[in-house]
């Protein structure tokens, strides 16, 4: 295999070490799943060909691709027998090709180790000469890996690494060895700025007006707080113990959103005949609904005495197997059933609390608003371009219509001129014939009329002028203009004048 082919296999950002370009990459995965191993053992244990059930055809195909079994068609289905490679795999736990590849890799280990960098200075020099600052040694042998390891530690501990740079290495024990020389300052500069945090107060002294309104309608329930069906409040569905924390979180988020110039609104929409109340943060005209809920844990249900008595009276009734209990983990994001349900949501986890993720949530909303604004601008540009093309097509159709109309008028003038000349020639021939004999009065009258008619139809008897343009209605241009004729306002008035003032609309010449 050539070096260019290996680079295509590894990727465009990887610089391959030149001494290992002849290493053949693994193209087949020889490891087996438990289901594949069970089928291989069953086929090997049988004394004759084993029929393959249709549901196991994929497993048999995988074994056949690895060369562990051989399939053939018999009767109405496939049968399989084990191959010598399959028996070797069952005995040694490895495929013969894996063993052969490992032997070939180790056979060239000494030669490859000689071409490894002698010290850290040479390793750094190779990395600096690489176009991407990265070197990859595909799965080297033990001796080669040791030489590269020694060069790495020599560069690390003897000052060969340039200042403001860092030497990184992956693949210390197995797999490909990848060495990278990183400019830490450039890497830090390329990193996006950290997301600012939002402080959540411990006590609500002066709560946000929406939080204050929500706290007034919490109700007297000692177990569950649910304000999702109430208007002009923030939607909550949490346990009573987490209600105060949820209000403090919302106070911090809403206050920060308004301090950044965003609007906090409550809206009521009608969906499927029911009123749906939402609280939204409006960022540059894009509204994002929010709700706070508490996660639940599924626990076994303990039947109550009433449920037991009801089931005894009505055996067809079912007692639920599980209950869902609040687990003190809050979740803030798009409410269930909204358009953004799975778009932005943060929750308590083992690594962080919801309070520490408020800045990330608001940052996500800003990013989504910016993306929506970009899509809106792109859509406006697309519609403007579509409008421009439509008016350009109308203008082009009008030009073709005028051109065809003038061409027809010119052809009619030329034909009229030829007809007038022919009539005059006919009249001259008739008068020449009549010179030798007395012409009748009726004949002379007819020739006079014919000559007068020739003068009437001759276009050259009067000054020539451009014929008036034809009507520019939709019906007149229907044959020349393909597509929807009513997509935009018609650009011509009743006199055929171009009326749109839009600069993007080209006027016909």
């Amino acid at each position: 295999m050539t070096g260019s082919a290996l680079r295509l296999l590894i990727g465009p950002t990887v610089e391959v070490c030149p001494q290992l370009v002849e290493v053949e990459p693994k193209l087949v995965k020889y490891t087996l799943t438990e289901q594949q191993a069970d089928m291989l053992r069953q086929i090997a244990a049988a004394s004759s060909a084993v029929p393959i059930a249709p549901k196991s055809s994929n497993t048999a195909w995988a074994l056949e691709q690895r060369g562990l079994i051989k399939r053939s068609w018999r009767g109405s289905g496939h049968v399989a027998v084990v191959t010598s490679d399959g028996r070797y795999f069952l005995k040694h736990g490895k495929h013969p090709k894996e063993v052969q590849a490992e032997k070939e890799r180790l056979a060239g280990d000494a030669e490859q180790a000689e071409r490894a960098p002698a010290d850290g200075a040479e390793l750094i020099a190779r990395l600096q000469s690489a176009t991407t600052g990265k070197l990859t040694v595909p799965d080297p042998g033990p001796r080669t890996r040791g030489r590269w390891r020694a060069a790495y530690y020599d560069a690390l501990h003897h000052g060969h690494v340039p200042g403001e740079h860092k030497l990184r290495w992956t693949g210390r024990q197995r797999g490909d060895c990848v060495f990278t020389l990183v400019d830490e300052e450039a890497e830090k500069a390329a990193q996006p700025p950290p997301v600012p945090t939002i402080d959540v107060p411990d006590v609500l002294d002066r709560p946000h007006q929406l939080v204050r309104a929500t706290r007034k309608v919490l109700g007297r329930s000692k177990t569950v707080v649910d304000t999702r069906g109430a208007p002009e409040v923030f939607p909550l569905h949490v346990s009573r113990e987490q209600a105060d924390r949820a209000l403090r979180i919302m106070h911090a988020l809403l206050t920060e959103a308004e301090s950044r110039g965003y609007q906090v609104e409550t809206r009521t929409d009608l969906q499927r005949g029911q009123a749906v109340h939402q609280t939204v943060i409006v960022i540059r005209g894009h509204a994002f609904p929010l709700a706070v809920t508490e996660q639940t844990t599924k626990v076994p249900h303990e039947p109550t005495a009433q449920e037991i008595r009801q089931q005894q009276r009505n055996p067809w009734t079912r007692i639920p197997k599980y209950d869902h209990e609040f687990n003190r983990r809050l979740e803030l994001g798009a409410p269930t059933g909204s358009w953004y349900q799975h778009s932005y949501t943060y929750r308590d986890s083992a690594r962080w609390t919801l309070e520490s993720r408020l800045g990330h949530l608001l940052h996500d909303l800003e990013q989504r608003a910016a993306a929506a604004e970009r899509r809106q601008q792109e859509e406006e540009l697309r519609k403007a371009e579509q409008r421009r093309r439509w008016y350009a097509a109308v203008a082009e159709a009008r030009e073709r219509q005028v051109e065809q109309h003038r061409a027809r008028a010119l052809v009619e003038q030329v034909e009229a001129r030829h007809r007038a000349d022919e009539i005059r020639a006919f009249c001259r021939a008739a008068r020449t014939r009549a010179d030798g004999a007395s012409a009748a009065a009726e004949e002379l009258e007819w020739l006079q009329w014919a000559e007068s008619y020739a003068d009437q139809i001759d276009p050259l008897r009067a000054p020539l002028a451009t014929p008036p343009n034809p009507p520019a209605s939709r019906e007149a241009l229907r044959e020349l203009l393909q597509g929807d004729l009513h997509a935009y306002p018609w650009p011509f008035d009743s006199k055929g004048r171009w009326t749109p003032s839009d600069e993007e609309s080209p006027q016909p010449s």
Side-chain angles (χ1 to χ4, degrees):
M1 178 176 290
T2 63
S4 59
L6 187 58
R7 288 186 180 92
L8 290 175
L9 289 171
I10 295 177
T13 61
V14 177
E15 189 75 19
V16 183
C17 191
Q19 70 266 24
L20 295 179
V21 295
E22 68 273 7
V23 175
E24 183 74 20
K26 295 180 180 179
L27 301 178
V28 180
K29 181 181 178 182
Y30 292 109
T31 57
L32 301 182
T33 63
E34 188 63 29
Q35 185 178 3
Q36 294 168 353
D38 290 341
M39 175 175 284
L40 180 60
R41 285 191 289 267
Q42 293 175 6
I43 296 175
S47 58
S48 59
V50 177
I52 302 299
K55 63 180 181 180
S56 303
S57 59
N58 290 337
T59 305
W61 178 86
L63 294 176
E64 185 179 25
Q65 292 299 309
R66 292 165 172 80
L68 303 178
I69 65 172
K70 184 177 181 180
R71 288 191 302 172
S72 60
W73 186 266
R74 180 182 299 176
S76 60
H78 280 102
V79 295
V81 295
V82 68
T83 62
S84 58
D85 290 347
R87 296 189 184 279
Y88 185 94
F89 189 93
L90 290 175
K91 182 177 180 180
H92 300 281
K94 290 185 178 181
H95 197 281
K97 293 184 178 179
E98 287 184 291
V99 178
Q100 181 63 26
E102 184 68 15
K103 289 181 179 179
E104 294 177 357
R105 187 173 71 91
L106 296 179
D109 189 19
E111 182 181 357
Q112 295 167 5
E114 292 296 329
R115 293 195 289 269
D119 52 17
E122 185 178 352
L123 174 60
I124 297 300
R126 292 190 186 184
L127 286 170
Q128 290 177 338
S129 63
T131 56
T132 59
K134 179 182 293 187
L135 286 177
T136 299
V137 186
D139 196 14
R143 186 178 300 181
T144 305
R145 193 184 299 271
R147 290 288 300 272
W148 283 91
R149 182 188 298 112
Y152 167 79
Y153 284 112
D154 181 73
L156 201 64
H157 299 298
H158 291 84
H160 298 299
V161 181
E164 306 299 333
H165 284 72
K166 186 175 182 180
L167 181 60
R168 295 177 182 174
W169 173 32
T170 60
R172 287 172 169 79
Q173 301 297 331
R174 64 181 62 86
D176 297 346
C177 287
V178 181
F179 299 89
T180 310
L181 191 61
V182 180
D183 187 348
E184 289 187 313
E185 293 299 328
E187 190 177 42
K188 290 179 180 179
Q191 294 294 329
V195 177
T197 59
I198 299 177
D199 295 330
V200 178
D202 297 332
V203 179
L204 285 178
D205 295 331
R206 301 177 61 184
H208 188 274
Q209 58 181 359
L210 187 58
V211 175
R212 187 185 307 113
T214 305
R215 189 163 57 179
K216 290 181 179 179
V217 298
L218 290 183
R220 298 181 179 180
S221 175
K222 297 182 180 180
T223 57
V224 180
V225 172
D226 192 355
T227 63
R228 293 175 295 180
E232 305 297 329
V233 298
F234 194 90
L236 300 177
H237 185 220
V238 297
S239 62
R240 189 72 187 193
E241 293 79 6
Q242 296 293 319
D244 180 70
R245 180 189 171 206
L247 293 176
R248 289 187 287 108
I249 290 175
M250 289 316 307
H251 167 79
L253 180 64
L254 299 181
T255 304
E256 178 65 22
E258 289 182 342
S259 67
R260 298 186 185 184
Y262 311 141
Q263 293 81 36
V264 177
E265 302 176 358
T266 56
R267 298 181 177 181
T268 300
D269 299 327
L270 191 63
Q271 297 181 4
R272 298 180 180 179
Q274 295 183 353
V276 178
H277 308 289
Q278 290 183 340
T279 296
V280 298
I281 294 180
V282 184
I283 303 177
R284 291 192 290 274
H286 302 281
F288 300 94
L290 292 173
V292 175
T293 58
E294 186 174 349
Q295 296 180 342
T296 58
T297 302
K298 189 169 66 174
V299 296
H301 175 73
E302 295 183 2
T304 62
Q306 182 180 0
E307 291 175 339
I308 295 176
R309 289 194 301 270
Q310 185 177 3
Q311 190 179 40
Q312 290 175 352
R313 291 193 299 267
N314 304 312
W316 58 84
T317 60
R318 299 181 61 182
I319 298 177
K321 294 183 179 180
Y322 301 98
D323 289 331
H324 295 272
E325 297 181 354
F326 288 119
N327 58 11
R328 303 177 63 85
R329 291 188 174 186
L330 295 185
E331 181 179 282
L332 173 60
T336 303
S338 71
W339 179 265
Y340 303 97
Q341 179 176 353
H342 303 290
S343 299
Y344 52 89
T345 299
Y346 284 91
R347 57 182 63 87
D348 290 323
S349 67
R351 297 179 57 189
W352 54 67
T353 61
L354 180 58
E355 287 84 346
S356 64
R357 312 306 292 177
L358 295 183
H360 293 271
L361 173 60
L362 196 55
H363 178 72
D364 285 354
L365 298 184
E366 293 170 342
Q367 294 295 322
R368 292 184 180 278
E373 192 171 9
R374 288 193 299 270
R375 290 193 298 269
Q376 185 176 357
Q377 293 175 355
E378 292 173 358
E379 181 65 16
E380 291 176 355
L381 292 176
R382 186 190 66 81
K383 290 183 178 179
E385 177 65 17
Q386 186 176 4
R387 173 187 174 92
R388 188 195 65 79
R389 290 182 179 180
W390 189 84
Y391 279 111
V394 173
E396 183 180 355
R398 175 61 172 171
E399 291 177 0
R400 292 199 305 270
Q401 181 200 30
V402 172
E403 190 76 13
Q404 294 176 5
H405 174 72
R406 293 179 178 180
R408 287 193 296 269
L410 177 61
V411 171
E412 290 175 358
Q413 290 177 348
V414 173
E415 291 178 351
R417 171 64 179 176
H418 290 165
R419 192 176 301 112
D421 290 342
E422 291 176 354
I423 292 174
R424 293 190 184 101
F426 173 78
C427 292
R428 287 194 298 271
R431 289 183 182 278
T432 301
R433 178 184 60 79
D435 288 343
S438 59
E442 294 181 355
E443 182 177 354
L444 294 176
E445 182 181 359
W446 172 247
L447 291 177
Q448 290 177 358
W449 182 90
E451 291 173 348
S452 175
Y453 176 74
D455 293 339
Q456 293 178 7
I457 66 174
D458 188 358
L460 298 182
R461 298 287 293 182
L464 297 177
T466 304
N469 291 336
S473 62
R474 289 184 173 91
E475 291 73 16
L477 294 177
R478 184 177 299 276
E479 295 182 357
L480 298 175
L481 182 62
Q482 301 295 329
D484 187 7
L485 297 177
H486 299 270
Y488 301 98
W490 192 246
F492 296 101
D493 60 9
S494 59
K495 297 182 179 180
R497 292 175 298 189
W498 184 269
T499 57
S501 59
D502 190 355
E503 296 181 357
E504 296 181 356
S505 303
Q507 298 185 9
S509 58

